[in-house]
Amino acid sequence: MWPRVVEVMFGCWLAISPFIFTHPPDQPLLWWNDLGCAAVVVALALASFHPRWRRAHLLEVAVGAWLIGAGYFAAEQPPPAATQNDVLVGWLLLMFAVIPSETNRPPAGWERRLRSETRD
């Protein structure tokens, strides 16, 4: 479940980053975008710990795509540091969201073979 823990950390970083990099004060929607996306990322990552919602982290792909798109199309050129951070976190979310939760376990076929060998 380590990818979900990293996604929670990305969500926390996304929540505090507007205070570090500061969006322009005349664009409060960018602040709310970061805070809202952070809340969604943390909620989806934590929901993935429950067996019923174990694939909820896949919805983070949409959040990552949103952050990348908003960073590319909503900012002036050159983009400010806060917008660059949004794009970077979006790409990281896309990469981590597709990592399965059970990455520390061997493939199912290997597990079956190991169990059958230990019984013999």
Side-chain angles (χ1 to χ4, degrees):
M1 294 299 265
W2 67 267
R4 309 299 76 89
V5 174
V6 174
E7 291 165 357
V8 169
M9 289 189 272
F10 287 152
C12 293
W13 170 252
L14 195 57
I16 64 170
S17 64
F19 300 101
I20 296 170
F21 296 117
T22 64
H23 286 293
D26 61 334
Q27 295 181 336
L29 289 178
L30 293 176
W31 287 77
W32 288 110
N33 181 50
D34 284 355
L35 296 174
C37 288
V40 170
V41 167
V42 170
L44 290 173
L46 291 176
S48 293
F49 282 99
H50 192 278
R52 186 174 186 183
W53 297 95
R54 68 178 187 266
R55 293 205 172 113
H57 63 92
L58 294 174
L59 295 173
E60 292 174 4
V61 170
V63 178
W66 172 261
L67 285 169
I68 293 167
Y72 280 130
F73 299 117
E76 66 274 355
Q77 296 298 326
T83 306
Q84 292 176 18
N85 180 65
D86 289 350
V87 172
L88 176 66
V89 172
W91 281 113
L92 289 170
L93 280 174
L94 285 178
M95 289 189 294
F96 275 82
V98 297
I99 298 175
S101 294
E102 301 296 329
T103 57
N104 56 340
R105 295 180 61 196
W110 292 5
E111 282 186 344
R112 284 191 300 271
R113 183 173 178 175
L114 286 173
R115 276 186 265 155
S116 67
E117 287 176 1
T118 56
R119 287 185 216 154
D120 296 336

